Amino acid sequence: MSYAKGLTDLGNGLWAWLQPDGGWGYSNAGLITNSGESVLVDTLFDEHLTDEMLRAMEASCGIRRDLVETVINTHANGDHTHGNALLTGAEIVASEASAREMEAFPPSLMAQLKAAGQANLMGEAGRYFAEIFAPFDFAGVHHSAPTRTFSGTASLDVGDTRVQLLEVGPAHTAGDILVHVPDSNTIFTGDILFIEGTPVVWAGPISNWIAACDLIEAMDPTHIVPGHGPLTGLYGVREVADYLRFVESEAHARFTIGMGPEEAAMDIGLGRYASWRDAERIAVNVDTAWREWSNTPEPTPATELFGRMAKLYYDRR
Ligand SMILES: [Zn+2]
């Protein structure tokens, strides 16, 4: 399947917006239109990228950004929410857990961390943060929070098209949701799917994420739009679940012999997953597993996690 930047027509008024190479910050989004109504699934990492996408949608999909009724945020991360403010007339829908997470990690914090990294104030962690997020303009983002939240399931209508929202988090983040359009059996998965890139388990438990993959597989979708990477099929869904099972088993073997999460992340040989982009995310994934198994609800500071990823990234390069 081709993986070109821009719009892909999925038929029945549904579109995907893809951003190769799908690495840090290069997320996908979706558009659902019917009878002159439109709903956007996620915005992008900054307002320039989101503006570029909205222009393309206005030109090719017959929508007007000021008339988009609803923006659905699949989860709280900035690469799916930072463009919300450009949809001035839209209701912004997210899970309750995602709304809380957005409040705790606003765009201004991303801008501060990047500036600190650029000023060489945070060592290797800062250098890495500034490097991976160099293409994005966080300082220019106007925070726009959800205006409607839900827990569990919700649905909305776009003209005659029914859209179902299924909360499957905490997994990648605290409040991940799947966006399903039953009429055309299309699913926008948000970051429950990273295709040809390494999944990053910020929240966990990993078992919830594997269950979400199993749920997608059971739905047997016709079109699957992942949060990052090219459009995929059930093979891609199984690949993500297999990676997560691999991490769980490799990590657990090291947890039970008393290894620490930092050492374990360095020790695990990634095998065929070493070629997936952003492989250093193993450091976060192992840490999340350790917090679960040691009953440590407090998150590890982001600077610490980015420091561990930096070490793997610069050591292996
Ligand atoms: Zn993402």
Side-chain angles (χ1 to χ4, degrees), residues 25 27 75 77 79-80 172 191 194 227-228:
S27 51
H75 62 288
N77 288 168
D79 53 334
H80 302 261
H172 167 63
D191 283 1
F194 288 78
H228 294 257

Side-chain angles (χ1 to χ4, degrees), residues 90-104:
E91 183 157 63
I92 298 170
V93 180
S95 68
E96 178 61 34
S98 285
R100 280 198 301 270
E101 196 174 348
M102 280 179 229
E103 218 170 86

Side-chain angles (χ1 to χ4, degrees), residues 36-97:
E37 295 182 19
S38 49
V39 166
L40 191 64
V41 181
D42 282 337
T43 57
L44 305 177
F45 215 179
D46 67 25
E47 296 192 354
H48 309 290
L49 289 172
T50 305
D51 178 63
E52 181 189 15
M53 172 175 76
L54 293 173
R55 281 172 195 272
M57 288 174 170
E58 284 165 340
S60 301
C61 314
I63 68 145
R64 271 179 50 186
R65 70 179 71 186
D66 56 321
L67 297 182
V68 169
E69 276 87 5
T70 306
V71 176
I72 299 164
N73 289 144
T74 57
H75 62 288
N77 288 168
D79 53 334
H80 302 261
T81 61
H82 278 179
N84 284 357
L86 295 189
L87 289 304
T88 48
E91 183 157 63
I92 298 170
V93 180
S95 68
E96 178 61 34

Side-chain angles (χ1 to χ4, degrees), residues 171 201-206 283-293 305:
V201 191
W202 293 116
I206 292 174
V284 177
N285 302 344
V286 167
D287 189 78
T288 299
W290 251 248
R291 286 195 294 108
E292 182 192 344
W293 294 328
L305 293 176

Side-chain angles (χ1 to χ4, degrees), residues 1-316:
M1 216 175 294
S2 84
Y3 183 32
K5 178 177 172 170
L7 284 165
T8 299
D9 187 351
L10 304 174
N12 299 308
L14 274 57
W15 305 75
W17 176 263
L18 304 180
Q19 289 196 103
D21 61 1
W24 284 112
Y26 285 112
S27 51
N28 300 327
L31 179 69
I32 304 165
T33 63
N34 185 284
S35 310
E37 295 182 19
S38 49
V39 166
L40 191 64
V41 181
D42 282 337
T43 57
L44 305 177
F45 215 179
D46 67 25
E47 296 192 354
H48 309 290
L49 289 172
T50 305
D51 178 63
E52 181 189 15
M53 172 175 76
L54 293 173
R55 281 172 195 272
M57 288 174 170
E58 284 165 340
S60 301
C61 314
I63 68 145
R64 271 179 50 186
R65 70 179 71 186
D66 56 321
L67 297 182
V68 169
E69 276 87 5
T70 306
V71 176
I72 299 164
N73 289 144
T74 57
H75 62 288
N77 288 168
D79 53 334
H80 302 261
T81 61
H82 278 179
N84 284 357
L86 295 189
L87 289 304
T88 48
E91 183 157 63
I92 298 170
V93 180
S95 68
E96 178 61 34
S98 285
R100 280 198 301 270
E101 196 174 348
M102 280 179 229
E103 218 170 86
F105 213 87
S108 55
L109 186 56
M110 293 292 287
Q112 277 169 28
L113 287 170
K114 187 176 160 186
Q118 283 168 329
N120 213 4
L121 295 176
M122 290 183 345
E124 205 171 49
R127 181 181 153 209
Y128 174 70
F129 195 93
E131 187 174 324
I132 60 174
F133 295 136
F136 311 107
D137 172 18
F138 304 136
V141 173
H142 299 82
H143 186 41
S144 183
T147 55
R148 175 186 159 197
T149 60
F150 71 97
S151 294
T153 59
S155 63
L156 53 99
D157 292 315
V158 190
D160 299 328
T161 302
R162 165 80 19 142
V163 179
Q164 289 179 330
L165 311 181
L166 309 168
E167 187 173 20
V168 292
H172 167 63
T173 62
D176 309 287
I177 63 172
L178 303 174
V179 179
H180 184 226
V181 183
D183 282 353
S184 48
N185 203 12
T186 293
I187 188 160
F188 300 90
T189 71
D191 283 1
I192 291 301
L193 293 184
F194 288 78
I195 301 302
E196 296 166 15
T198 305
V200 55
V201 191
W202 293 116
I206 292 174
S207 56
N208 265 5
W209 195 331
I210 294 171
C213 291
D214 291 345
L215 177 65
I216 296 169
E217 192 171 343
M219 292 159 94
D220 194 18
T222 308
H223 297 290
I224 303 175
V225 182
H228 294 257
L231 300 179
T232 191
L234 290 183
Y235 174 77
V237 182
R238 292 185 197 117
E239 281 278 278
V240 170
D242 284 350
Y243 170 82
L244 294 169
R245 275 189 284 263
F246 166 83
V247 170
E248 202 166 40
S249 120
E250 292 290 317
H252 200 256
R254 288 161 179 81
F255 179 81
T256 52
I257 58 166
M259 212 182 262
E262 190 172 359
E263 190 189 347
M266 304 291 279
D267 190 55
I268 292 172
L270 289 174
R272 71 190 187 90
Y273 303 115
S275 64
W276 285 10
R277 78 179 75 80
D278 309 321
E280 65 274 19
R281 290 171 176 165
I282 185 72
V284 177
N285 302 344
V286 167
D287 189 78
T288 299
W290 251 248
R291 286 195 294 108
E292 182 192 344
W293 294 328
S294 59
N295 286 313
T296 310
E298 300 79 30
T300 306
T303 46
E304 169 67 24
L305 293 176
F306 276 94
R308 290 184 205 169
M309 287 193 282
K311 192 159 175 32
L312 285 170
Y313 177 74
Y314 292 121
D315 281 2
R316 284 180 183 178

